[in-house]
Amino acid sequence: MRLLNSGVIAVSIGAAIITIFSLLFYFDITRKINAGRLEVVGTITYKRRLAQRKYASQVVWEEVEQNEPVYNYDAIRTAEGSEAVVRIKDGTQFTINENSLEVVAFAKDAINISFDQGSITASRQNVSDPKMLNIKAGNATISLEKSDVKVASQQGKEVSLTVQKGDATISAGAVAKKVGEYQNAVVAGAGVDVNSQTVRLQTPMPDSHLVTTGGGRDVRFTWLAV
């Protein structure tokens, strides 16, 4: 009987230890990191499925939710079938499409986005006094002021730019070309090819969203125009 009681006690202690450490592990991987005094540069206005953020001073990725702040030098990534919409404090809005990774940095006279892979759509039509927006993708840099553009990158091997409104300048190495409204540009190596779109979509804009209310909740539709 004494041996049986000792076995029950040992099993109970083991189960308690496993439960405690499991809870500690769960709280550790789900807790939000304290952003401290980092500068807020924007807000995540919409998120679908899985989007994660990594602070510049951290190595751990954490999941982000809608209406959470975006801090200077944040890295944001999206998973398969996911997207996130970020509104910068100057009015710039950009959509991070699925399987994409970008870093946003506010400088004194410009907004810089380092874009590693996937695709993003940037809209600046509602910016009253815009800084220059520079999107760095692979060996290409796209610069624009009040324009709407879509940029896609295949892990730095090829970069494509589509201008829906306004214009942008795309640079690769010593080559710099202006891309106007309804034009596409492709960067492969050090070359930049610019062509006009044969089909000009007026509406909806790429990755635009329509929000309506149904059944007591907001329903959001995404238009994947290309």
Side-chain angles (χ1 to χ4, degrees), residues 88-182:
I88 301 299
K89 60 184 181 182
D90 73 338
T92 301
Q93 180 170 291
F94 59 92
T95 300
I96 308 168
N97 295 306
E98 64 176 351
N99 296 323
S100 301
L101 170 64
E102 60 82 31
V103 178
V104 58
F106 246 71
K108 184 177 181 180
D109 55 353
I111 302 172
N112 301 308
I113 294 178
S114 298
F115 177 50
D116 183 62
Q117 64 183 28
S119 64
I120 61 173
T121 303
S123 176
R124 310 201 80 203
Q125 291 296 310
N126 297 322
V127 180
S128 58
D129 186 20
K131 298 180 179 181
M132 184 66 71
L133 174 64
N134 300 312
I135 302 174
K136 174 70 175 177
N139 68 330
T141 300
I142 296 107
S143 300
L144 57 125
E145 289 185 348
K146 297 191 69 173
S147 305
D148 291 350
V149 302
K150 183 168 186 175
V151 184
S153 176
Q154 299 178 357
Q155 295 182 337
K157 296 179 181 178
E158 182 178 287
V159 177
S160 63
L161 163 68
T162 301
V163 178
Q164 297 292 337
K165 291 184 179 181
D167 57 62
T169 299
I170 185 166
S171 305
V175 179
K177 291 187 178 182
K178 187 174 182 178
V179 184
E181 195 166 291
Y182 299 117

Side-chain angles (χ1 to χ4, degrees), residues 6 21 26 31 37 68 75 86 98 107 109 114 118 151-152 160 164 176 179 184 189 193 199 212 214:
S6 298
F21 278 96
Y26 173 79
R31 69 184 176 90
R37 298 182 179 179
E68 281 194 3
V86 179
E98 64 176 351
D109 55 353
S114 298
V151 184
S160 63
Q164 297 292 337
V179 184
N184 302 319
D193 293 325
V199 178
T212 185

Side-chain angles (χ1 to χ4, degrees), residues 163-217:
V163 178
Q164 297 292 337
K165 291 184 179 181
D167 57 62
T169 299
I170 185 166
S171 305
V175 179
K177 291 187 178 182
K178 187 174 182 178
V179 184
E181 195 166 291
Y182 299 117
Q183 286 189 317
N184 302 319
V186 177
V187 177
V192 180
D193 293 325
V194 179
N195 299 287
S196 296
Q197 297 179 30
T198 55
V199 178
R200 299 182 177 184
L201 182 66
Q202 299 294 324
T203 186
M205 295 300 293
D207 303 312
S208 57
H209 299 80
L210 172 65
V211 180
T212 185
T213 301
R217 62 187 180 89

